[in-house]
Amino acid sequence: MGTIILGTGSWLPRRVMSNVELEEMVDTTDEWIRTRTGIENRRIAGAGEKTYQLAAKAARKALATAQLSAEEIELIVVGTISSHMLMPSCACYVQHEIGAVNAQAYDINAACSGFLYGIDIADHHIQARKEAKVLIIGAEAISSRLNWQDRNTCILFGDGAGAAVFGYSEDARRGVLGSSHGTDGSQWELLYMHTAPSTNADIEVAGNKGAFLVMEGKEIFKFAVKAMEEAVFRVLDDTGVSLADVSLLIPHQANMRILSKLLERLAVPREKVFLNVMNYGNTSAASIPIALDEANRAGRLKADDTILFCSVGGGLTWGATLIRW
Ligand code: ACO
């Protein structure tokens, strides 16, 4: 009686921005970015590529893979921190764009953990209503929320979208096996983004820097490695699955140094890890579903495989999810 993935899809903006291009914009070098982060290129959204447009294209591909029509979807959840509007949600735009006329739709803000939190929502929804088909999307045009004068952050991120359609299987061995998520709001200042200045002076946030991403890189690095490691061991413990039994680890593609440290701590060999951070940078909530779709299309997910996901992001939020394909 599992919540299974019926189809995956992803979509990347056309424009590729290389490290060399960034050399023209901030005081940095291709060599610094490669050695510190492993990132070589990222995609940057352009005309016709707002967050919901990327999301809708990824969703259509996921629906096609699942051989479902948009009308069959009853819930759409988009994890995003970079929709072009505060209201309506990105999910409402997606609902209209793909013609999911029978769906309710809303966004969640769990930053880079949005897709894994979304899987939890899909799982609970489907366990309560077995006939439901649920679309979970991670989508970002985070280039619109970066300070392009800040070399500490603008080199790390990229735009894109990934989606998965969830449904129900009578086969109890398949689907979501478990998850372990956490939040620590006390550490919000390590990674945050203001909104536009408040029109109510009494509740304006002191020192509002504007609606772009601010980060304490070193602290985030330490936190990210520890939080993902602990979440991974917790979900393995809870489900009685050993790390040796995991067929593929699909981590949040934050940056190569965080991932290298994590893999070292977990003692997972590189061939059991799906990595595409070099091509796209950190696409926040979109990173795991893009990687999931690429792994799926590359034939790296086989029946009975045990797939492990882990993430960490602004909030601070983190989590790990285990799925049997
Ligand atoms: N180009 C050149 N030099 C740079 C750049 C850059 N783009 N950015 C920083 N520097 C400089 C710094 O100013 C500093 O110079 P100084 O010594 O003269 O002061 C020097 O490089 C070293 O800076 P550090 O911050 O110590 O660099 P570090 O080796 O820690 O690497 C990095 C920075 C890559 C950001 C690292 O801290 C990290 O990986 N942090 C995690 C951040 C992250 O991935 N966040 C994503 C969002 S959260 C998530 O998704 C998990």
Side-chain angles (χ1 to χ4, degrees):
M1 286 85 64
T3 299
I4 60 167
I5 294 180
L6 301 169
T8 63
S10 60
W11 195 267
L12 279 310
R14 289 176 295 272
R15 181 171 172 220
V16 179
M17 182 186 278
S18 69
N19 294 342
V20 175
E21 259 187 87
L22 280 161
E23 289 179 355
E24 304 294 314
M25 300 163 70
V26 285
D27 182 15
T28 191
T29 60
D30 174 40
E31 201 265 336
W32 194 96
I33 300 172
R34 274 175 204 262
T35 52
R36 300 301 219 286
T37 74
I39 300 166
E40 296 168 18
N41 291 299
R42 72 281 296 139
R43 300 295 180 91
I44 303 294
E49 294 178 332
K50 290 189 173 71
T51 309
Y52 80 89
Q53 292 167 317
L54 301 173
K57 288 197 160 102
R60 281 204 191 94
K61 287 179 76 178
L63 287 168
T65 323
Q67 297 183 306
L68 286 172
S69 69
E71 291 88 350
E72 290 172 273
I73 297 296
E74 72 172 46
L75 172 62
I76 301 173
V77 178
V78 180
T80 186
I81 52 167
S82 58
S83 190
H84 72 298
M85 302 273 281
L86 210 48
M87 181 190 69
S89 67
C90 184
C92 289
Y93 281 95
V94 172
Q95 183 266 348
H96 174 61
E97 184 83 359
I98 66 175
V101 291
N102 297 309
Q104 57 167 307
Y106 58 87
D107 290 354
I108 53 168
N109 177 342
C112 307
S113 304
F115 187 75
L116 295 193
Y117 278 36
I119 293 180
D120 249 18
I121 294 171
D123 189 27
H124 288 122
H125 189 93
I126 287 164
Q127 290 305 319
R129 269 183 51 76
K130 303 198 173 4
E131 63 276 29
K133 304 287 184 288
V134 176
L135 181 56
I136 305 294
I137 304 172
E140 305 284 7
I142 200 163
S143 59
S144 62
R145 297 279 174 257
L146 295 176
N147 174 355
W148 288 97
Q149 268 95 53
D150 176 18
R151 67 178 183 175
N152 292 298
T153 52
C154 73
I155 58 137
L156 289 170
F157 296 90
D159 302 335
V165 182
F166 291 79
Y168 176 78
S169 167
E170 291 291 344
D171 184 348
R173 287 172 26 82
R174 294 186 64 204
V176 178
L177 303 180
S179 67
S180 169
H181 298 331
T183 299
D184 182 0
S186 73
Q187 303 210 55
W188 69 270
E189 277 176 293
L190 297 186
L191 188 57
Y192 64 88
M193 202 185 281
H194 286 116
T195 57
S198 171
T199 53
N200 176 348
D202 290 340
I203 55 168
E204 173 61 311
V205 179
N208 187 340
K209 292 190 171 76
F212 53 77
L213 188 141
V214 181
M215 180 186 78
E216 288 288 340
K218 272 195 171 59
E219 293 308 312
I220 282 286
F221 182 96
K222 284 186 266 176
F223 185 91
V225 175
K226 189 164 174 285
M228 286 195 281
E229 181 191 10
E230 287 177 3
V232 160
F233 283 121
R234 212 168 300 122
V235 76
L236 291 172
D237 238 33
D238 290 351
T239 53
V241 172
S242 79
L243 206 42
D245 292 332
V246 169
S247 323
L248 190 68
L249 169 63
I250 304 183
H252 166 47
Q253 311 284 312
N255 76 52
M256 207 47 235
R257 266 170 87 203
I258 289 183
L259 293 174
S260 299
K261 195 79 191 160
L262 177 69
L263 302 186
E264 186 189 306
R265 294 252 198 116
L266 297 176
V268 177
R270 282 283 169 101
E271 59 273 17
K272 277 190 156 192
V273 185
F274 192 86
L275 297 169
N276 62 11
V277 65
M278 56 298 271
N279 302 328
Y280 309 131
N282 181 342
T283 57
S284 183
S287 109
I288 289 179
I290 293 171
L292 169 66
D293 182 50
E294 291 195 344
N296 192 14
R297 284 171 202 278
R300 291 192 64 182
L301 311 177
K302 306 210 168 52
D304 273 348
D305 274 1
T306 305
I307 318 295
L308 176 62
F309 303 91
C310 59
S311 72
V312 65
L316 299 174
T317 59
W318 65 89
T321 301
L322 203 57
I323 287 184
R324 180 147 311 118
W325 198 249

